[in-house]
Each structure stands twice: as C-alpha cells, then as structure tokens.
C-alpha cells in the first residue's frame, strides 16, 4: 500500500491484528528489515512496516527531508490512518526519527 505525504508516495505494509506497532528501518534499509520479526508477532499486534522516502519501494523525494521532516511524516501517517497509541520501534536512523 502507499501513503501520500507532501506529494510523496510512501510504501507501507499492514499485517496482523491487535496492538498497533510501527517498525522504522535504519538508513539504507527497508521494510524487509523487520519482516521476520513481524511474522512472529502478527497474532498479537497490528504491524506497520514503512519504507522511508527514498528507500525500499518509496519514491525518492526531489527535496531534502531532515529528521524532523521524517518525524512529521510519521506523525501524519499515525493520525491519517487513525492508529491509536502505537508502539514505535526504530533501528538506527529509524530510532532517531522515533525520538524526534
């Protein structure tokens, strides 16, 4: 599936059912980073795997997005998809975005 943010098509996957959990990959990675983990928890969690712009299947932006911009994207994603009180797990760069 794709989510559109500021004209960017951001690829994401939603699998499972239960408590929402969002996985954010590190720099140079993609949704593939957390697929094995997601597979093991889909019975208890609704898992969201997101490809940041320019990574995986998401379109590369023609403008620079800093950490705050990525955090704004994440916040919009959560609000627009009505995800309530998600657990956010970030690896490396994804952790920086989550911390913003």
């Amino acid at each position: 599936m794709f989510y559109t943010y500021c004209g960017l098509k951001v690829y994401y996957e939603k699998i499972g059912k239960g408590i929402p959990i969002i996985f954010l990959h590190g720099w140079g990675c993609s949704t593939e980073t957390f697929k094995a983990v997601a597979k093991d928890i889909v019975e208890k969690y609704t898992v969201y795997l997101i490809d940041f712009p320019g990574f995986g299947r998401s379109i590369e932006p023609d403008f620079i997005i800093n950490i705050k911009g990525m955090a704004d994207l994440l916040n919009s994603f959560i609000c627009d998809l009505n995800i309530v009180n998600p657990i956010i797990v970030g690896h490396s760069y994804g952790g920086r975005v989550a911390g913003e």
Side-chain angles (χ1 to χ4, degrees):
M1 292 183 266
F2 284 91
Y3 170 72
T4 302
Y5 175 78
C6 292
L8 297 173
K9 291 188 132 205
V10 178
Y11 179 80
Y12 76 97
E13 295 180 21
K14 175 185 174 186
I15 53 176
K17 58 183 176 180
I19 301 164
I21 185 167
I22 301 171
F23 287 99
L24 304 175
H25 63 76
W27 192 263
C29 299
S30 70
T31 56
E32 298 299 316
T33 302
F34 289 108
K35 285 233 174 137
V37 173
K39 181 181 165 188
D40 289 341
I41 64 172
V42 293
E43 290 185 23
K44 185 176 179 183
Y45 295 93
T46 300
V47 177
Y48 295 87
L49 303 167
I50 301 171
D51 279 340
F52 287 126
F55 298 94
R57 291 177 219 148
S58 289
I59 303 301
E60 184 162 350
D62 58 1
F63 55 92
I64 296 172
I65 304 176
N66 59 18
I67 295 291
K68 183 176 179 340
M70 290 293 193
D72 290 344
L73 180 156
L74 177 61
N75 186 58
S76 292
F77 178 83
I78 291 168
C79 291
D80 291 347
L81 273 65
N82 297 314
I83 303 170
V84 179
N85 296 323
I87 297 167
I88 300 176
V89 177
H91 170 256
S92 188
Y93 180 76
R96 288 197 64 206
V97 172
E100 182 66 30

